CSV table of all heavy atoms in Angstrom, one decimal:
chain,number,residue,atom,x,y,z
Y,1,ARG,N,171.8,106.3,43.1
Y,1,ARG,CA,171.7,107.2,44.3
Y,1,ARG,C,171.9,106.3,45.6
Y,1,ARG,O,172.5,106.7,46.5
Y,1,ARG,CB,170.4,107.9,44.4
Y,1,ARG,CG,170.4,109.0,45.5
Y,1,ARG,CD,169.1,109.8,45.4
Y,1,ARG,NE,169.1,110.8,46.5
Y,1,ARG,CZ,169.7,112.0,46.5
Y,1,ARG,NH1,170.4,112.3,45.4
Y,1,ARG,NH2,169.6,112.8,47.5
Y,2,LEU,N,171.2,105.1,45.6
Y,2,LEU,CA,171.4,104.2,46.7
Y,2,LEU,C,172.8,103.7,46.8
Y,2,LEU,O,173.3,103.7,48.0
Y,2,LEU,CB,170.5,103.0,46.4
Y,2,LEU,CG,169.1,102.9,47.1
Y,2,LEU,CD1,168.3,101.7,46.7
Y,2,LEU,CD2,169.3,102.9,48.6
Y,3,ILE,N,173.5,103.4,45.7
Y,3,ILE,CA,174.9,103.0,45.8
Y,3,ILE,C,175.8,104.1,46.4
Y,3,ILE,O,176.6,103.8,47.2
Y,3,ILE,CB,175.3,102.5,44.4
Y,3,ILE,CG1,174.6,101.3,43.9
Y,3,ILE,CG2,176.9,102.3,44.4
Y,3,ILE,CD1,174.8,100.9,42.5
Y,4,GLU,N,175.5,105.3,45.9
Y,4,GLU,CA,176.3,106.4,46.5
Y,4,GLU,C,176.1,106.6,48.0
Y,4,GLU,O,177.1,106.8,48.7
Y,4,GLU,CB,175.9,107.7,45.8
Y,4,GLU,CG,176.3,107.8,44.3
Y,4,GLU,CD,175.7,109.1,43.6
Y,4,GLU,OE1,175.0,109.9,44.3
Y,4,GLU,OE2,175.9,109.2,42.4
Y,5,ASN,N,174.9,106.4,48.5
Y,5,ASN,CA,174.6,106.5,49.9
Y,5,ASN,C,175.2,105.4,50.7
Y,5,ASN,O,175.7,105.6,51.8
Y,5,ASN,CB,173.1,106.6,50.1
Y,5,ASN,CG,172.5,108.0,49.8
Y,5,ASN,OD1,173.1,109.0,50.1
Y,5,ASN,ND2,171.4,108.0,49.2
Y,6,ILE,N,175.2,104.2,50.1
Y,6,ILE,CA,175.8,103.0,50.8
Y,6,ILE,C,177.3,103.2,50.9
Y,6,ILE,O,177.9,102.9,51.9
Y,6,ILE,CB,175.5,101.7,50.0
Y,6,ILE,CG1,174.0,101.4,50.1
Y,6,ILE,CG2,176.3,100.5,50.5
Y,6,ILE,CD1,173.5,100.4,49.2
Y,7,ARG,N,177.9,103.7,49.9
Y,7,ARG,CA,179.4,104.0,49.9
Y,7,ARG,C,179.7,105.0,51.0
Y,7,ARG,O,180.7,104.9,51.7
Y,7,ARG,CB,179.9,104.4,48.5
Y,7,ARG,CG,179.8,103.4,47.4
Y,7,ARG,CD,180.5,102.1,47.9
Y,7,ARG,NE,180.5,101.1,46.8
Y,7,ARG,CZ,180.6,99.8,47.0
Y,7,ARG,NH1,180.8,99.3,48.3
Y,7,ARG,NH2,180.6,98.9,46.1
Y,8,LEU,N,178.9,106.0,51.1
Y,8,LEU,CA,179.1,107.0,52.2
Y,8,LEU,C,178.9,106.4,53.6
Y,8,LEU,O,179.7,106.7,54.5
Y,8,LEU,CB,178.1,108.2,52.1
Y,8,LEU,CG,178.3,109.2,51.0
Y,8,LEU,CD1,177.2,110.2,50.8
Y,8,LEU,CD2,179.6,110.0,51.3
Y,9,LEU,N,177.9,105.5,53.7
Y,9,LEU,CA,177.7,104.7,54.9
Y,9,LEU,C,178.9,103.9,55.3
Y,9,LEU,O,179.3,103.8,56.5
Y,9,LEU,CB,176.5,103.8,54.8
Y,9,LEU,CG,176.0,103.1,56.0
Y,9,LEU,CD1,175.5,104.0,57.1
Y,9,LEU,CD2,174.9,102.1,55.6
Y,10,GLU,N,179.5,103.3,54.3
Y,10,GLU,CA,180.8,102.5,54.5
Y,10,GLU,C,181.8,103.3,55.2
Y,10,GLU,O,182.5,102.9,56.2
Y,10,GLU,CB,181.3,102.0,53.2
Y,10,GLU,CG,180.7,100.7,52.7
Y,10,GLU,CD,181.4,100.2,51.4
Y,10,GLU,OE1,181.6,101.0,50.5
Y,10,GLU,OE2,181.7,99.1,51.4
Y,11,LYS,N,182.0,104.6,54.7
Y,11,LYS,CA,183.0,105.4,55.3
Y,11,LYS,C,182.7,105.8,56.7
Y,11,LYS,O,183.6,106.0,57.6
Y,11,LYS,CB,183.2,106.7,54.4
Y,11,LYS,CG,183.8,106.4,53.0
Y,11,LYS,CD,183.8,107.7,52.2
Y,11,LYS,CE,184.3,107.4,50.8
Y,11,LYS,NZ,184.4,108.6,49.9
Y,12,ARG,N,181.4,106.0,57.0
Y,12,ARG,CA,181.0,106.5,58.3
Y,12,ARG,C,181.1,105.3,59.3
Y,12,ARG,O,181.4,105.6,60.5
Y,12,ARG,CB,179.5,106.9,58.3
Y,12,ARG,CG,179.3,108.2,57.5
Y,12,ARG,CD,179.8,109.4,58.3
Y,12,ARG,NE,179.5,110.7,57.6
Y,12,ARG,CZ,178.4,111.4,57.8
Y,12,ARG,NH1,177.5,111.0,58.6
Y,12,ARG,NH2,178.2,112.5,57.1
Y,13,THR,N,180.8,104.1,58.9
Y,13,THR,CA,180.8,103.0,59.8
Y,13,THR,C,182.0,102.1,59.8
Y,13,THR,O,182.2,101.2,60.6
Y,13,THR,CB,179.5,102.1,59.5
Y,13,THR,OG1,179.7,101.6,58.2
Y,13,THR,CG2,178.3,102.9,59.7
Y,14,MET,N,182.9,102.3,58.8
Y,14,MET,CA,184.1,101.5,58.6
Y,14,MET,C,183.7,100.0,58.3
Y,14,MET,O,184.5,99.1,58.7
Y,14,MET,CB,185.0,101.6,59.8
Y,14,MET,CG,185.5,103.0,60.1
Y,14,MET,SD,186.4,103.8,58.7
Y,14,MET,CE,187.9,102.8,58.8
Y,15,ILE,N,182.6,99.8,57.7
Y,15,ILE,CA,182.1,98.4,57.4
Y,15,ILE,C,182.1,98.3,55.9
Y,15,ILE,O,181.5,99.0,55.2
Y,15,ILE,CB,180.7,98.1,58.0
Y,15,ILE,CG1,180.8,98.1,59.5
Y,15,ILE,CG2,180.1,96.8,57.5
Y,15,ILE,CD1,179.5,98.1,60.2
Y,16,LYS,N,182.7,97.2,55.4
Y,16,LYS,CA,182.8,96.9,54.0
Y,16,LYS,C,181.5,96.3,53.6
Y,16,LYS,O,181.0,95.3,54.1
Y,16,LYS,CB,184.0,96.0,53.7
Y,16,LYS,CG,184.0,95.6,52.2
Y,16,LYS,CD,184.3,96.7,51.3
Y,16,LYS,CE,184.4,96.2,49.9
Y,16,LYS,NZ,184.5,97.4,48.9
Y,17,CYS,N,180.9,96.9,52.5
Y,17,CYS,CA,179.6,96.3,52.0
Y,17,CYS,C,179.9,95.8,50.5
Y,17,CYS,O,180.4,96.5,49.7
Y,17,CYS,CB,178.6,97.4,51.9
Y,17,CYS,SG,178.1,98.1,53.5
Y,18,THR,N,179.5,94.6,50.3
Y,18,THR,CA,179.4,94.0,49.0
Y,18,THR,C,178.1,94.3,48.4
Y,18,THR,O,177.1,93.7,48.9
Y,18,THR,CB,179.7,92.5,49.0
Y,18,THR,OG1,181.0,92.3,49.6
Y,18,THR,CG2,179.7,91.9,47.6
Y,19,ILE,N,178.0,95.1,47.4
Y,19,ILE,CA,176.7,95.5,46.8
Y,19,ILE,C,176.3,94.6,45.7
Y,19,ILE,O,177.1,94.4,44.7
Y,19,ILE,CB,176.7,97.0,46.3
Y,19,ILE,CG1,177.0,97.9,47.5
Y,19,ILE,CG2,175.4,97.3,45.7
Y,19,ILE,CD1,177.1,99.4,47.1
Y,20,ILE,N,175.1,94.0,45.7
Y,20,ILE,CA,174.6,93.1,44.7
Y,20,ILE,C,173.3,93.7,44.1
Y,20,ILE,O,172.4,94.0,44.8
Y,20,ILE,CB,174.2,91.7,45.3
Y,20,ILE,CG1,175.5,91.2,46.1
Y,20,ILE,CG2,173.8,90.8,44.2
Y,20,ILE,CD1,175.1,90.1,47.1
Y,21,ILE,N,173.3,93.9,42.8
Y,21,ILE,CA,172.2,94.4,42.1
Y,21,ILE,C,171.3,93.3,41.7
Y,21,ILE,O,171.7,92.4,40.9
Y,21,ILE,CB,172.6,95.3,40.8
Y,21,ILE,CG1,173.5,96.4,41.3
Y,21,ILE,CG2,171.4,95.8,40.1
Y,21,ILE,CD1,173.0,97.4,42.2
Y,22,ILE,N,170.1,93.3,42.2
Y,22,ILE,CA,169.1,92.2,41.8
Y,22,ILE,C,168.3,92.5,40.6
Y,22,ILE,O,167.7,93.6,40.5
Y,22,ILE,CB,168.1,92.0,43.0
Y,22,ILE,CG1,168.9,91.6,44.3
Y,22,ILE,CG2,167.2,90.8,42.7
Y,22,ILE,CD1,169.7,90.4,44.3
Y,23,LYS,N,168.3,91.6,39.6
Y,23,LYS,CA,167.6,91.9,38.4
Y,23,LYS,C,166.2,91.2,38.3
Y,23,LYS,O,165.3,91.6,37.6
Y,23,LYS,CB,168.5,91.4,37.2
Y,23,LYS,CG,169.8,92.1,37.1
Y,23,LYS,CD,170.5,91.6,35.8
Y,23,LYS,CE,172.0,92.2,35.8
Y,23,LYS,NZ,172.1,93.6,36.0
Y,24,ASN,N,166.0,90.1,39.1
Y,24,ASN,CA,164.8,89.4,39.1
Y,24,ASN,C,164.6,88.5,40.3
Y,24,ASN,O,165.5,88.4,41.1
Y,24,ASN,CB,164.6,88.5,37.8
Y,24,ASN,CG,165.8,87.6,37.6
Y,24,ASN,OD1,166.2,86.8,38.5
Y,24,ASN,ND2,166.5,87.7,36.5
Y,25,GLU,N,163.4,88.0,40.5
Y,25,GLU,CA,163.1,87.2,41.7
Y,25,GLU,C,163.9,85.9,41.7
Y,25,GLU,O,164.4,85.6,42.8
Y,25,GLU,CB,161.6,86.8,41.6
Y,25,GLU,CG,160.6,87.8,42.0
Y,25,GLU,CD,159.2,87.3,42.2
Y,25,GLU,OE1,158.9,86.6,43.2
Y,25,GLU,OE2,158.4,87.5,41.3
Y,26,GLU,N,164.2,85.3,40.6
Y,26,GLU,CA,164.9,84.1,40.6
Y,26,GLU,C,166.3,84.3,41.2
Y,26,GLU,O,166.8,83.5,42.0
Y,26,GLU,CB,165.0,83.5,39.1
Y,26,GLU,CG,165.7,82.2,39.1
Y,26,GLU,CD,165.8,81.7,37.6
Y,26,GLU,OE1,165.3,82.3,36.7
Y,26,GLU,OE2,166.4,80.6,37.4
Y,27,GLN,N,167.0,85.4,40.7
Y,27,GLN,CA,168.3,85.7,41.2
Y,27,GLN,C,168.2,86.0,42.7
Y,27,GLN,O,169.1,85.6,43.5
Y,27,GLN,CB,168.9,87.0,40.5
Y,27,GLN,CG,170.2,87.4,41.0
Y,27,GLN,CD,170.6,88.8,40.6
Y,27,GLN,OE1,169.8,89.5,39.9
Y,27,GLN,NE2,171.8,89.2,41.0
Y,28,LEU,N,167.2,86.8,43.2
Y,28,LEU,CA,167.1,87.1,44.6
Y,28,LEU,C,167.0,85.9,45.5
Y,28,LEU,O,167.7,85.8,46.4
Y,28,LEU,CB,165.8,88.0,44.8
Y,28,LEU,CG,165.5,88.4,46.2
Y,28,LEU,CD1,166.6,89.2,46.9
Y,28,LEU,CD2,164.2,89.1,46.3
Y,29,PHE,N,166.1,85.0,45.1
Y,29,PHE,CA,165.9,83.8,46.0
Y,29,PHE,C,167.0,82.8,45.9
Y,29,PHE,O,167.2,81.9,46.8
Y,29,PHE,CB,164.6,83.2,45.7
Y,29,PHE,CG,163.4,84.0,46.2
Y,29,PHE,CD1,162.6,84.7,45.3
Y,29,PHE,CD2,163.2,84.1,47.6
Y,29,PHE,CE1,161.5,85.5,45.8
Y,29,PHE,CE2,162.1,84.9,48.1
Y,29,PHE,CZ,161.3,85.5,47.2
Y,30,SER,N,167.9,82.9,44.9
Y,30,SER,CA,169.0,82.0,44.8
Y,30,SER,C,170.1,82.4,45.8
Y,30,SER,O,171.0,81.6,46.1
Y,30,SER,CB,169.6,82.0,43.4
Y,30,SER,OG,170.2,83.2,43.1
Y,31,ILE,N,170.1,83.6,46.3
Y,31,ILE,CA,171.1,84.1,47.2
Y,31,ILE,C,170.6,84.7,48.5
Y,31,ILE,O,171.3,85.3,49.3
Y,31,ILE,CB,172.0,85.2,46.5
Y,31,ILE,CG1,171.2,86.4,46.1
Y,31,ILE,CG2,172.8,84.6,45.3
Y,31,ILE,CD1,172.1,87.6,45.6
Y,32,ILE,N,169.2,84.6,48.7
Y,32,ILE,CA,168.6,85.3,49.8
Y,32,ILE,C,169.2,84.9,51.1
Y,32,ILE,O,169.3,85.8,52.0
Y,32,ILE,CB,167.1,85.0,49.8
Y,32,ILE,CG1,166.4,85.9,50.8
Y,32,ILE,CG2,166.8,83.5,50.1
Y,32,ILE,CD1,166.5,87.4,50.5
Y,33,ASN,N,169.7,83.7,51.3
Y,33,ASN,CA,170.2,83.4,52.7
Y,33,ASN,C,171.6,84.0,52.9
Y,33,ASN,O,172.0,84.0,54.1
Y,33,ASN,CB,170.3,81.8,52.8
Y,33,ASN,CG,169.0,81.2,53.0
Y,33,ASN,OD1,168.2,81.6,53.8
Y,33,ASN,ND2,168.7,80.1,52.2
Y,34,ASP,N,172.2,84.6,51.9
Y,34,ASP,CA,173.5,85.2,52.1
Y,34,ASP,C,173.4,86.8,52.2
Y,34,ASP,O,174.3,87.5,52.3
Y,34,ASP,CB,174.4,84.9,50.9
Y,34,ASP,CG,174.7,83.4,50.8
Y,34,ASP,OD1,174.9,82.8,51.9
Y,34,ASP,OD2,174.7,82.9,49.7
Y,35,ILE,N,172.1,87.3,52.1
Y,35,ILE,CA,171.9,88.7,52.1
Y,35,ILE,C,171.7,89.2,53.5
Y,35,ILE,O,170.8,88.7,54.2
Y,35,ILE,CB,170.7,89.1,51.2
Y,35,ILE,CG1,171.1,88.8,49.7
Y,35,ILE,CG2,170.4,90.6,51.3
Y,35,ILE,CD1,169.9,89.0,48.8
Y,36,ASN,N,172.4,90.2,53.9
Y,36,ASN,CA,172.2,90.8,55.2
Y,36,ASN,C,171.2,92.0,55.2
Y,36,ASN,O,170.4,92.1,56.1
Y,36,ASN,CB,173.6,91.3,55.8
Y,36,ASN,CG,174.6,90.3,55.8
Y,36,ASN,OD1,175.7,90.4,55.2
Y,36,ASN,ND2,174.4,89.2,56.4
Y,37,ILE,N,171.3,92.8,54.2
Y,37,ILE,CA,170.4,94.0,54.0
Y,37,ILE,C,169.9,94.0,52.6
Y,37,ILE,O,170.7,93.9,51.6
Y,37,ILE,CB,171.1,95.3,54.4
Y,37,ILE,CG1,171.5,95.3,55.8
Y,37,ILE,CG2,170.2,96.5,54.0
Y,37,ILE,CD1,172.3,96.6,56.2
Y,38,LEU,N,168.6,94.2,52.4
Y,38,LEU,CA,168.0,94.3,51.1
Y,38,LEU,C,167.2,95.6,51.0
Y,38,LEU,O,166.3,95.8,51.8
Y,38,LEU,CB,167.0,93.1,50.8
Y,38,LEU,CG,166.2,93.2,49.6
Y,38,LEU,CD1,167.0,93.2,48.3
Y,38,LEU,CD2,165.1,92.1,49.5
Y,39,PHE,N,167.6,96.4,50.0
Y,39,PHE,CA,166.8,97.6,49.7
Y,39,PHE,C,165.8,97.2,48.6
Y,39,PHE,O,166.2,96.8,47.5
Y,39,PHE,CB,167.7,98.7,49.2
Y,39,PHE,CG,168.6,99.3,50.2
Y,39,PHE,CD1,169.9,98.8,50.4
Y,39,PHE,CD2,168.1,100.3,51.0
Y,39,PHE,CE1,170.7,99.4,51.5
Y,39,PHE,CE2,168.9,100.9,52.0
Y,39,PHE,CZ,170.2,100.4,52.2
Y,40,LEU,N,164.5,97.3,48.9
Y,40,LEU,CA,163.5,96.8,48.1
Y,40,LEU,C,162.5,97.9,47.7
Y,40,LEU,O,161.8,98.5,48.5
Y,40,LEU,CB,162.7,95.7,48.8
Y,40,LEU,CG,161.5,95.0,48.2
Y,40,LEU,CD1,162.0,94.2,46.9
Y,40,LEU,CD2,160.8,94.0,49.1
Y,41,ASP,N,162.3,98.1,46.4
Y,41,ASP,CA,161.3,99.0,45.9
Y,41,ASP,C,160.0,98.3,45.9
Y,41,ASP,O,159.9,97.0,45.7
Y,41,ASP,CB,161.6,99.4,44.4
Y,41,ASP,CG,160.8,100.6,43.9
Y,41,ASP,OD1,159.9,101.0,44.7
Y,41,ASP,OD2,161.0,101.0,42.8
Y,42,ILE,N,158.9,99.0,46.2
Y,42,ILE,CA,157.6,98.4,46.2
Y,42,ILE,C,157.0,98.1,44.8
Y,42,ILE,O,156.4,97.1,44.6
Y,42,ILE,CB,156.6,99.3,47.0
Y,42,ILE,CG1,157.0,99.4,48.5
Y,42,ILE,CG2,155.2,98.8,46.9
Y,42,ILE,CD1,157.0,98.2,49.3
Y,43,GLU,N,157.2,99.0,43.9
Y,43,GLU,CA,156.7,98.9,42.6
Y,43,GLU,C,157.8,98.4,41.6
Y,43,GLU,O,158.7,99.2,41.3
Y,43,GLU,CB,156.1,100.2,42.1
Y,43,GLU,CG,154.9,100.6,42.9
Y,43,GLU,CD,154.2,101.9,42.4
Y,43,GLU,OE1,154.9,102.7,41.9
Y,43,GLU,OE2,153.0,102.0,42.6
Y,44,LEU,N,157.7,97.2,41.3
Y,44,LEU,CA,158.8,96.6,40.4
Y,44,LEU,C,158.1,96.0,39.2
Y,44,LEU,O,158.4,94.8,38.8
Y,44,LEU,CB,159.5,95.5,41.2
Y,44,LEU,CG,160.4,96.0,42.4
Y,44,LEU,CD1,160.7,94.8,43.3
Y,44,LEU,CD2,161.6,96.6,41.9
């Protein structure tokens, strides 16, 4: 659902978004300096 909404946002803003699915903390912190926006669930 988040991906669908982000794709709609792309069309509204004309901004290309590269979507990255985070699987664990290690992956997240390996690329954190390259992330502009992070959608974060509280309960993981």
Side-chain angles (χ1 to χ4, degrees):
R1 188 173 180 85
L2 262 174
I3 293 171
E4 289 173 4
N5 282 319
I6 292 167
R7 293 307 181 201
L8 284 172
L9 184 67
E10 279 185 307
K11 293 178 182 177
R12 292 286 183 92
T13 61
M14 302 299 289
I15 293 171
K16 175 64 178 172
C17 295
T18 299
I19 300 175
I20 306 159
I21 304 300
I22 303 297
K23 300 186 187 310
N24 52 55
E25 282 188 76
E26 185 180 357
Q27 178 196 2
L28 174 63
F29 286 108
S30 70
I31 60 170
I32 190 60
N33 286 315
D34 297 321
I35 295 175
N36 305 123
I37 294 176
L38 170 65
F39 289 94
L40 177 65
D41 192 0
I42 295 295
E43 296 185 327
L44 294 163

